[in-house]
């Protein structure tokens, strides 16, 4: 995999001339009409990550996923052939939600040999086949082969489970991911089985939170309280600029240099970080993960901090130079709200010290995530005032331009595909 250095002259934005350099509108983040189009134009056409294979450790393992943005719930299961499959979570008899526990709105997971409806006890095999109908003789010419669970297109890449709700996906998963994301192949995702997850409803458009993690212009200001005042003030004045940005199809990448926390001035570290030898950037002892994929650290930073791969539309894989990774998901629930999920993955700890170090990294991530989320509802409320209609973006915010332009392009393409010709039917 070739590296992708910054062009020798000009800014990042100028080297993507189709994005422009003028002020941008955020009408796409405050318009209910625009949001209504995102469902069919984007989320029902793109490949969506819904989990990892480690959530399905054996045959019969399953989990459910509530997806308000496409108006459904799905079951993801490992069947008796060890194939990972996905189905709409609906019984074919009377439409009851098939798999749920105490609260039908809550996600669940578990193990079973068949799925059994709570309402009338229809049963389905793990491959979706209708296996049993209670009092089958009471039905009229019932052909069970026609009433299996409704499948959802499902593919697995590097242990990540993706689904697609199109009748026929426009691309295979690999075609959709493209060369930049495929450059991660070979990273030891499967060995990172020590897992922490945070989930929160955010009263802001999903794209606004994606924007928060697409630039580091904010870091010295928004996260100033994480270090002593004299250092944070100097950092805010000096600023920070990531050394590499890349756009590949609908996807984006920002790669940054890093710091070796143990080499920082002791006044910039918290006592707990010295005790646990860990912090925001992860445990200080870097695990031996073997050779890294060539698609990482495209700028050749030393020390390298992280690469944030932003997979369209709403999934982020963020790989840290210290030997761990995390993922973000942004699931729209309305034009002005979404569910944010942040999940951290580490190698299994070999000692209590390593476990505590991972827990401190997870707690530090939550603190920084709260700081990033803290501005979003204030942003949403003032964007909705429409007191200002366009906003300037700097060169470090090139990926923001791309995300909003890409969503608009998918909506434009959808409108063109579904337009009724002047002379009659489609």
């Amino acid at each position: 995999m070739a590296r992708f250095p910054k062009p020798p002259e000009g800014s990042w934005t100028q080297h993507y001339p189709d994005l422009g350099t003028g002020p941008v509108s955020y009408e796409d983040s405050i318009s209910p009409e625009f949001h209504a189009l995102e469902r069919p134009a984007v989320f029902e056409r793109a490949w969506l990550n819904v989990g990892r294979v480690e959530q399905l450790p054996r045959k019969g393992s399953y989990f459910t996923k509530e997806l308000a943005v496409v108006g459904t719930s799905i079951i993801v299961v490992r069947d008796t052939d060890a194939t990972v499959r996905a189905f709409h979570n609906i019984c074919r008899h009377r439409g009851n939600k098939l798999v749920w526990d105490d609260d039908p709105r809550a996600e669940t997971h578990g193990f079973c040999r068949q799925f059994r409806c709570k309402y009338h006890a229809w049963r389905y095999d793990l491959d979706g086949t209708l296996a049993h109908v209670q009092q089958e003789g009471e039905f009229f010419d019932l052909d069970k082969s026609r009433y299996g669970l409704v499948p959802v297109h499902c593919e697995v890449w590097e242990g990540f489970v993706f689904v697609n709700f199109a009748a026929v996906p426009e691309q295979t998963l690999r075609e959709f991911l493209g060369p930049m994301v495929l450059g991660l192949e070979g990273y030891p995702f499967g060995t990172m089985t020590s897992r922490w997850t945070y989930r929160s409803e955010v009263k802001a458009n999903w794209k606004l939170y994606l924007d928060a993690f697409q630039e580091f212009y904010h870091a010295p200001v928004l996260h100033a309280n994480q270090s002593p005042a004299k250092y944070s003030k100097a950092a805010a004045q000096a600023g920070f600029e990531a050394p590499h940005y890349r756009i590949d199809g609908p996807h984006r990448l920002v790669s940054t240099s890093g710091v070796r926390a143990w080499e920082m001035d002791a006044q910039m570290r918290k006592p707990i970080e010295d005790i646990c030898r860990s912090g925001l950037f992860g445990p200080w002892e870097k695990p031996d993960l073997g050779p890294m994929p060539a698609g990482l650290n495209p700028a050749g930073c030393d020390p390298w901090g992280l690469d944030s791969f932003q997979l369209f539309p709403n999934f982020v894989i963020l790989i840290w130079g210290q030997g761990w990774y995390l993922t973000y998901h942004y699931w729209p629930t309305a034009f002005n709200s979404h569910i944010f999920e942040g999940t951290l993955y580490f190698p299994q700890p070999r000692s209590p010290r390593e476990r505590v170090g991972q827990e401190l990294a997870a707690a530090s991530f939550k603190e920084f995530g709260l700081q990033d989320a803290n501005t979003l509802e204030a942003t949403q409320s003032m964007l909705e005032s429409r007191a200002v209609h366009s906003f300037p973006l700097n060169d470090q915010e090139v990926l923001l331009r791309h995300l909003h332009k890409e969503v608009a392009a998918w909506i434009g393409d959808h409108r063109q595909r579904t337009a009724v010709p002047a002379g009659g039917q489609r």
Side-chain angles (χ1 to χ4, degrees), residues 47 155 164 169-178:
W47 285 94
E155 293 190 27
N164 190 298
E170 298 163 25
Q171 296 175 297
T172 66
L173 176 58
R174 290 184 64 84
E175 290 170 339
F176 175 74
L177 295 177

Side-chain angles (χ1 to χ4, degrees), residues 49 160 162 309-317 327-329:
N49 174 254
F160 293 100
F162 287 81
F309 288 81
Q310 298 166 20
L311 282 63
F312 187 82
N314 69 326
F315 178 46
V316 174
I317 303 174
T327 62
Y328 302 141
H329 292 85

